[in-house]
Amino acid sequence: MYKPEHVKRPILAETVLKKKVLLNILEAKVNSQKGELIVSVPLEGEALEDLVRSFEAEGVAVERLPRIVEIDHERCTSCGACVSPCPVSALYFGPGWSLMLDEKRCVGCRVCVDACPFRAIKMA
Amino acid sequence: MPEARGSETLRKYEEINERISRGEATVLTADEFVSAVESEGLEKAAREVDVVTTGTFGAMCSSGAFLNFGHSEPPIKMWHCWLNDVPAYKGLAAVDAYLGATAISESKGFEYGGGHVIEDLVSGREVRLRADSYGTDCYPRRYVETDLTIEDLNQAVLLNPRNAYQRYNAATNSTSRTIYTYMGTLLPNYGNVTFSGSGQLSPVHKDMGFETIGIGTRIFLGGGAGYVIGEGTQHCPQQRFGTLMVKGDLKRMSGRYLRGATFHRYGPTLYVGVGLPIPIINENVARSAALSDSEIFTDLIDYGVPSRERPTVKRVSYAELKSGKVVIGEEGVRSSPLSSLKMAKEVAEVLRDWILEKRFFLARPAELLPAEREFKPLPEKSMAAACRR
Ligand code: SF4
Ligand code: SF4
């Protein structure tokens, strides 16, 4: 989350150059007052902690989105309304058009939560 | 000379039903029939197969139920009434109401609606009824509130003015923001494609000429047996937009095939499972029942344009839609259905098994549905012209 002073500086680009990490922006809402970015970070362990610290040192608030989406298979009809909106193809059809989830791909963006007409998806 | 529509040149309804009762009928789902025609050819498959079963399971906003609550003591002429805070239409007799699938809860908003009440009722769950009135000499009571289940109702009849669209437009979004529609979440800049309808399993597409579908056709509806009672609203078969009006006894249906749903920022609706048996009475019907996903087309429409006349991006086959990628310009764009293809297949299989188990017989329609119908827009006459009258 950006504060007003961050909006004027290319913090994300600076961090990408400094840390040489390939961030993927999934959602960005930035105006003159504040900003909120959802980024997927291909890092784990100490490298991830280091990146978080460098953002925090700039005063950017970092929130970790839970990666785990939970599908209520009683409610899910395998309609597919969540499949094409998922930006990373974590939701897909298995055999017989049954909905499947690849947890490792999910970045916790929540797009599927609103896309599901049966409210069958929750963030754990 | 062309055969008359509905002519029973290959087999008659009576023969089919006799074969069903002797356990000798050949019944295939539409998926199975498409494969049979591919391997054996149309003529042979048409000679061998008596009935092809179809299925779809999608959001059908034009759905609802007629309910009769029985009379309270002292009696009330219900003026307004609510089920779990969802208003039902009360412009009928004292304790009759029509609950529409898209009616919105007055306490929970979009998250709960008429479709959810129908699912709760059919699943045997208790529902809170509230009703008010102005009081009359014959109906003195002014308010009633009670909990009831579907068992307490005299009648609960699912009656859907428009179900089972032959096909539906596929949707995408050219604008720079995500839009939330009855076609689901559409990402910006042609970010995805959604579609509805089950393609080669789609009930109406398997008898495009309306040679077997008519008033009195017995069907699978919501997990029970129902009937086609007429053309659906906006029926426009010459554009491949045929629709059905259907009814059935809600008390004999199942919550597995009637599911309340909410499209984000659009509102509630009802997912309905519908399946039609298509008797292969002549070669025309066989040809239609044999159509595969690659031969069934629909239009990909830009829902980013908020107009009645939304632009068509391209024509697209159900085979391409179901492949998970639709080519727009140079790009492959992810596509996914909104109606469950898994459940559509299940509906067709359940209906096939009912027939094979001699639990479901075919009905010759009393009257075939029209094969042509005009679909007009709303004429908005100017107020000046209205005032002159
Ligand atoms: S939260 Fe849902 S839409 Fe987002 S990445 Fe995970 S599965 Fe896909
Ligand atoms: S949108 Fe919901 S019901 Fe449909 S497949 Fe996804 S999780 Fe299942």
Short mmCIF file of all heavy atoms in Angstrom, two decimals, chain B residues 40-68:
data_model
loop_
_atom_site.label_atom_id
_atom_site.label_comp_id
_atom_site.label_asym_id
_atom_site.label_seq_id
_atom_site.Cartn_x
_atom_site.Cartn_y
_atom_site.Cartn_z
N GLU B 40 -20.49 -44.45 -37.35
CA GLU B 40 -21.35 -45.32 -38.16
C GLU B 40 -22.06 -44.62 -39.31
O GLU B 40 -22.65 -45.28 -40.16
CB GLU B 40 -22.45 -45.94 -37.28
CG GLU B 40 -21.93 -46.80 -36.16
CD GLU B 40 -23.04 -47.18 -35.19
OE1 GLU B 40 -24.24 -47.03 -35.56
OE2 GLU B 40 -22.73 -47.62 -34.09
N GLY B 41 -22.05 -43.30 -39.28
CA GLY B 41 -22.79 -42.56 -40.29
C GLY B 41 -24.20 -42.26 -39.80
O GLY B 41 -24.75 -42.98 -38.95
N LEU B 42 -24.77 -41.21 -40.38
CA LEU B 42 -26.07 -40.72 -39.89
C LEU B 42 -27.19 -41.73 -40.10
O LEU B 42 -28.00 -41.98 -39.20
CB LEU B 42 -26.41 -39.40 -40.60
CG LEU B 42 -27.72 -38.75 -40.17
CD1 LEU B 42 -27.62 -38.23 -38.74
CD2 LEU B 42 -28.11 -37.62 -41.11
N GLU B 43 -27.21 -42.33 -41.30
CA GLU B 43 -28.35 -43.19 -41.64
C GLU B 43 -28.47 -44.38 -40.70
O GLU B 43 -29.55 -44.67 -40.18
CB GLU B 43 -28.17 -43.67 -43.08
CG GLU B 43 -29.48 -43.81 -43.82
CD GLU B 43 -29.23 -44.23 -45.25
OE1 GLU B 43 -28.52 -43.49 -45.97
OE2 GLU B 43 -29.71 -45.32 -45.61
N LYS B 44 -27.34 -45.03 -40.47
CA LYS B 44 -27.35 -46.21 -39.61
C LYS B 44 -27.71 -45.83 -38.17
O LYS B 44 -28.55 -46.47 -37.54
CB LYS B 44 -25.96 -46.89 -39.66
CG LYS B 44 -25.83 -48.13 -38.82
CD LYS B 44 -24.82 -49.10 -39.43
CE LYS B 44 -24.73 -50.40 -38.66
NZ LYS B 44 -23.86 -50.32 -37.48
N ALA B 45 -27.08 -44.75 -37.67
CA ALA B 45 -27.36 -44.32 -36.30
C ALA B 45 -28.83 -43.96 -36.15
O ALA B 45 -29.47 -44.32 -35.15
CB ALA B 45 -26.47 -43.13 -35.93
N ALA B 46 -29.38 -43.28 -37.14
CA ALA B 46 -30.79 -42.87 -37.07
C ALA B 46 -31.71 -44.10 -37.06
O ALA B 46 -32.77 -44.08 -36.45
CB ALA B 46 -31.14 -41.96 -38.25
N ARG B 47 -31.29 -45.15 -37.78
CA ARG B 47 -32.11 -46.37 -37.81
C ARG B 47 -32.07 -47.10 -36.47
O ARG B 47 -33.05 -47.69 -36.04
CB ARG B 47 -31.57 -47.30 -38.91
CG ARG B 47 -32.52 -47.46 -40.07
CD ARG B 47 -32.18 -48.59 -41.04
NE ARG B 47 -30.86 -49.16 -40.98
CZ ARG B 47 -29.85 -48.79 -41.78
NH1 ARG B 47 -30.01 -47.85 -42.68
NH2 ARG B 47 -28.68 -49.39 -41.68
N GLU B 48 -30.92 -47.02 -35.80
CA GLU B 48 -30.74 -47.81 -34.58
C GLU B 48 -31.17 -47.12 -33.30
O GLU B 48 -31.56 -47.78 -32.33
CB GLU B 48 -29.26 -48.21 -34.45
CG GLU B 48 -28.89 -49.30 -35.43
CD GLU B 48 -27.40 -49.58 -35.48
OE1 GLU B 48 -26.64 -48.92 -34.72
OE2 GLU B 48 -27.00 -50.43 -36.28
N VAL B 49 -31.06 -45.80 -33.28
CA VAL B 49 -31.27 -45.09 -32.01
C VAL B 49 -32.70 -44.55 -31.93
O VAL B 49 -33.17 -43.88 -32.85
CB VAL B 49 -30.24 -43.95 -31.86
CG1 VAL B 49 -30.49 -43.15 -30.58
CG2 VAL B 49 -28.83 -44.52 -31.86
N ASP B 50 -33.40 -44.86 -30.84
CA ASP B 50 -34.77 -44.41 -30.67
C ASP B 50 -34.85 -43.00 -30.09
O ASP B 50 -35.66 -42.18 -30.51
CB ASP B 50 -35.53 -45.36 -29.72
CG ASP B 50 -35.61 -46.76 -30.30
OD1 ASP B 50 -36.20 -46.89 -31.38
OD2 ASP B 50 -35.08 -47.71 -29.68
N VAL B 51 -34.02 -42.76 -29.07
CA VAL B 51 -34.12 -41.49 -28.35
C VAL B 51 -32.72 -40.97 -28.04
O VAL B 51 -31.83 -41.73 -27.67
CB VAL B 51 -34.88 -41.67 -27.00
CG1 VAL B 51 -35.05 -40.32 -26.30
CG2 VAL B 51 -36.23 -42.33 -27.21
N VAL B 52 -32.55 -39.65 -28.18
CA VAL B 52 -31.31 -38.98 -27.80
C VAL B 52 -31.64 -38.05 -26.64
O VAL B 52 -32.58 -37.26 -26.73
CB VAL B 52 -30.74 -38.18 -29.00
CG1 VAL B 52 -29.58 -37.29 -28.55
CG2 VAL B 52 -30.29 -39.13 -30.10
N THR B 53 -30.89 -38.16 -25.56
CA THR B 53 -31.18 -37.28 -24.41
C THR B 53 -30.20 -36.13 -24.35
O THR B 53 -29.03 -36.26 -24.71
CB THR B 53 -31.16 -38.05 -23.08
OG1 THR B 53 -29.84 -38.57 -22.87
CG2 THR B 53 -32.17 -39.17 -23.06
N THR B 54 -30.69 -34.99 -23.89
CA THR B 54 -29.92 -33.75 -23.88
C THR B 54 -29.89 -33.20 -22.47
O THR B 54 -30.61 -33.69 -21.59
CB THR B 54 -30.57 -32.72 -24.80
OG1 THR B 54 -31.87 -32.43 -24.28
CG2 THR B 54 -30.71 -33.24 -26.22
N GLY B 55 -29.10 -32.16 -22.24
CA GLY B 55 -29.07 -31.56 -20.91
C GLY B 55 -28.39 -30.21 -20.91
O GLY B 55 -27.54 -29.92 -21.75
N THR B 56 -28.81 -29.38 -19.99
CA THR B 56 -28.14 -28.11 -19.75
C THR B 56 -28.35 -27.76 -18.29
O THR B 56 -29.30 -28.22 -17.66
CB THR B 56 -28.67 -27.02 -20.72
OG1 THR B 56 -27.85 -25.86 -20.61
CG2 THR B 56 -30.11 -26.65 -20.44
N PHE B 57 -27.41 -26.99 -17.74
CA PHE B 57 -27.53 -26.58 -16.35
C PHE B 57 -26.93 -25.19 -16.24
O PHE B 57 -25.71 -25.02 -16.15
CB PHE B 57 -26.78 -27.55 -15.43
CG PHE B 57 -26.91 -27.23 -13.96
CD1 PHE B 57 -28.05 -27.60 -13.25
CD2 PHE B 57 -25.91 -26.55 -13.28
CE1 PHE B 57 -28.19 -27.29 -11.91
CE2 PHE B 57 -26.03 -26.24 -11.92
CZ PHE B 57 -27.17 -26.62 -11.25
N GLY B 58 -27.79 -24.19 -16.35
CA GLY B 58 -27.27 -22.83 -16.38
C GLY B 58 -28.18 -21.85 -15.67
O GLY B 58 -29.27 -22.22 -15.19
N ALA B 59 -27.71 -20.61 -15.59
CA ALA B 59 -28.49 -19.54 -14.96
C ALA B 59 -29.69 -19.24 -15.85
O ALA B 59 -29.53 -18.95 -17.03
CB ALA B 59 -27.62 -18.30 -14.82
N MET B 60 -30.88 -19.35 -15.30
CA MET B 60 -32.09 -19.08 -16.06
C MET B 60 -32.93 -18.10 -15.25
O MET B 60 -33.72 -18.49 -14.38
CB MET B 60 -32.83 -20.38 -16.36
CG MET B 60 -31.91 -21.38 -17.09
SD MET B 60 -32.71 -22.77 -17.82
CE MET B 60 -31.30 -23.83 -18.17
N CYS B 61 -32.74 -16.82 -15.56
CA CYS B 61 -33.36 -15.75 -14.76
C CYS B 61 -34.87 -15.80 -14.85
O CYS B 61 -35.56 -15.42 -13.91
CB CYS B 61 -32.86 -14.39 -15.23
SG CYS B 61 -31.16 -14.05 -14.71
N SER B 62 -35.40 -16.19 -16.00
CA SER B 62 -36.85 -16.21 -16.15
C SER B 62 -37.38 -17.53 -15.62
O SER B 62 -37.84 -18.39 -16.37
CB SER B 62 -37.24 -16.01 -17.61
OG SER B 62 -38.29 -15.08 -17.69
N SER B 63 -37.28 -17.68 -14.30
CA SER B 63 -37.76 -18.88 -13.62
C SER B 63 -38.48 -18.42 -12.36
O SER B 63 -38.24 -17.32 -11.87
CB SER B 63 -36.59 -19.78 -13.22
OG SER B 63 -35.90 -20.25 -14.35
N GLY B 64 -39.31 -19.30 -11.84
CA GLY B 64 -40.00 -18.94 -10.60
C GLY B 64 -41.01 -20.01 -10.24
O GLY B 64 -41.15 -21.01 -10.95
N ALA B 65 -41.70 -19.79 -9.12
CA ALA B 65 -42.61 -20.83 -8.64
C ALA B 65 -43.94 -20.23 -8.18
O ALA B 65 -43.97 -19.19 -7.52
CB ALA B 65 -41.98 -21.59 -7.50
N PHE B 66 -45.02 -20.89 -8.56
CA PHE B 66 -46.33 -20.57 -8.00
C PHE B 66 -46.48 -21.35 -6.70
O PHE B 66 -46.23 -22.57 -6.67
CB PHE B 66 -47.45 -20.96 -8.97
CG PHE B 66 -47.66 -19.94 -10.05
CD1 PHE B 66 -47.22 -20.19 -11.34
CD2 PHE B 66 -48.28 -18.74 -9.78
CE1 PHE B 66 -47.39 -19.24 -12.35
CE2 PHE B 66 -48.47 -17.78 -10.78
CZ PHE B 66 -48.02 -18.03 -12.06
N LEU B 67 -46.88 -20.65 -5.64
CA LEU B 67 -47.00 -21.28 -4.33
C LEU B 67 -48.41 -21.02 -3.80
O LEU B 67 -48.95 -19.93 -3.97
CB LEU B 67 -45.98 -20.67 -3.36
CG LEU B 67 -44.52 -20.66 -3.85
CD1 LEU B 67 -43.65 -19.87 -2.89
CD2 LEU B 67 -43.99 -22.08 -4.00
N ASN B 68 -48.98 -22.01 -3.15
CA ASN B 68 -50.24 -21.81 -2.43
C ASN B 68 -50.01 -22.19 -0.97
O ASN B 68 -49.63 -23.31 -0.66
CB ASN B 68 -51.38 -22.64 -3.03
CG ASN B 68 -52.66 -22.45 -2.23
OD1 ASN B 68 -52.82 -23.05 -1.17
ND2 ASN B 68 -53.56 -21.62 -2.71
#
